[in-house]
Structures are given as structure tokens and as C-alpha cells.
Amino acid sequence: MDNPQRKQCGKPECKRAFNTDRMRDWNRRHCAKTGQWYHRNYAEQHREYSRRRYQEQPHWRVLHPERAALIDARRRMRMLEAQTSEVFAPLDVHTRDGWTCQLCCEPIDQAIAWPHPKSPSVDHIIPLSRGGAHALSNVQSAHLGCNSSKCDKGMVDAVLALAGQAAPR
């Protein structure tokens, strides 16, 4: 080595040994200060941090479900290039439909929150993926579970699937 103050020569083996010694010294100092060894269980630490943070303040989607649904619908519409766009709130759709699921005809409880299967959601009658418009005339109230089981089928396909029949082609 040319420089006497340098602690390593630059070879990979020397760098590895230097960093190992440095981390070992740091871990000893950490143990002396805190009384426990430092553990590299990043995944568990991150899960614990996320749990604590979620308990302190839930995700913004939980705090603002109508805004999140509107953002998701706009994103899907942009991705699938839906025909028309209309700005409306999910509350408008549920009020119009009398808080009744249009797929199973059972009442929707406003107090049940997402992600419960009986929580309220807005269903596109003609799915955006099949060229349907994101307009008030193409949406209806539905339970989240009913909407999820409908997937991207149209109304006729969904009703026949619920009845256990095959769709006519």
C-alpha cells in the first residue's frame, strides 16, 4: 500500500475483511449501548412497523373510500380508454338505487366497511374492459362480494351464472 493511513489495499478480499471487522465492532458497540445484539430481520421489523403505523393511522383508502373508488375508476377508464367520462360519487349511485344490491337484490348496509364482502361497491353494468362507459347510466349499486364474483361479465352473463345456466352465444 502506498498510503500508510489507508486501512485496506483495495482488493475485494481486503475490502470484505475490513467491512466485516467494521460491522463486528459496530455490533459490539451497539450491544454495549442497548444490551442486545442487532438483528438483521428486516422483514419482521418492517411488518411490525407497518402494523404499528396502520393502527395509528389507517391507509388513506380507508379514510376516504369514495375518493379512492373515484381514482380507481378514472385510472381503469384511462387504461381501457372507455368511451365517456362522468364525474359522480358512489354515494349518488347508492342513493339512486335505494341501497339495494342490483345483482342479488339484498339490502346494502352502509355501516359495513371495505373489504367486507357485504360492503357497498359500484358495479359497471357493461364492464370498462368490454368498452362500457364510466357514466351514471352504466353503474349500479352492488355488494363488494357480488361485484367481485361478477368479474368482467356483462349483466346477462352474471345473472345466468348466478342462476347456474350457460350464457347463450
Side-chain angles (χ1 to χ4, degrees), residues 50 53-65 68 114:
S50 296
R53 185 168 160 241
Y54 187 77
Q55 287 171 351
E56 291 168 7
Q57 181 178 3
H59 195 271
W60 74 270
R61 287 181 167 278
V62 175
L63 296 173
H64 309 285
W114 178 89

Side-chain angles (χ1 to χ4, degrees), residues 87 104 134 136:
V87 178
C104 70
H134 181 66
L136 199 54

Side-chain angles (χ1 to χ4, degrees), residues 24 40 67 70 84 86 95 100 103 105 118 122 134 146 157 161:
R24 204 173 282 137
R40 286 189 175 178
R67 181 77 180 136
L70 183 63
T84 59
E86 205 175 301
T95 305
T100 303
L103 298 175
C105 299
K118 291 290 184 179
V122 175
H134 181 66
C146 297
D157 296 339

Side-chain angles (χ1 to χ4, degrees), residues 33-102:
K33 186 167 60 173
T34 62
Q36 61 184 358
W37 291 100
Y38 177 77
H39 297 284
R40 286 189 175 178
N41 191 353
Y42 298 121
E44 183 55 38
Q45 289 172 350
H46 184 68
R47 277 193 294 274
E48 180 58 33
Y49 169 76
S50 296
R51 270 193 295 268
R52 255 184 304 135
R53 185 168 160 241
Y54 187 77
Q55 287 171 351
E56 291 168 7
Q57 181 178 3
H59 195 271
W60 74 270
R61 287 181 167 278
V62 175
L63 296 173
H64 309 285
E66 291 183 358
R67 181 77 180 136
L70 183 63
I71 288 170
D72 288 345
R74 284 184 183 158
R75 179 185 55 80
R76 283 195 313 270
M77 182 188 64
R78 277 194 309 268
M79 289 173 57
L80 302 171
E81 298 175 50
Q83 299 164 355
T84 59
S85 173
E86 205 175 301
V87 178
F88 57 88
L91 186 60
D92 299 337
V93 178
H94 297 306
T95 305
R96 180 195 69 192
D97 293 341
W99 289 93
T100 303
C101 177
Q102 301 300 307

Side-chain angles (χ1 to χ4, degrees), residues 88-143:
F88 57 88
L91 186 60
D92 299 337
V93 178
H94 297 306
T95 305
R96 180 195 69 192
D97 293 341
W99 289 93
T100 303
C101 177
Q102 301 300 307
L103 298 175
C104 70
C105 299
E106 293 181 9
I108 299 173
D109 188 2
Q110 303 176 46
I112 299 175
W114 178 89
H116 192 277
K118 291 290 184 179
S119 65
S121 73
V122 175
D123 171 49
H124 289 86
I125 299 168
I126 300 171
L128 296 178
S129 62
R130 294 200 177 175
H134 181 66
L136 199 54
S137 60
N138 188 40
V139 294
Q140 61 187 359
S141 295
H143 292 116

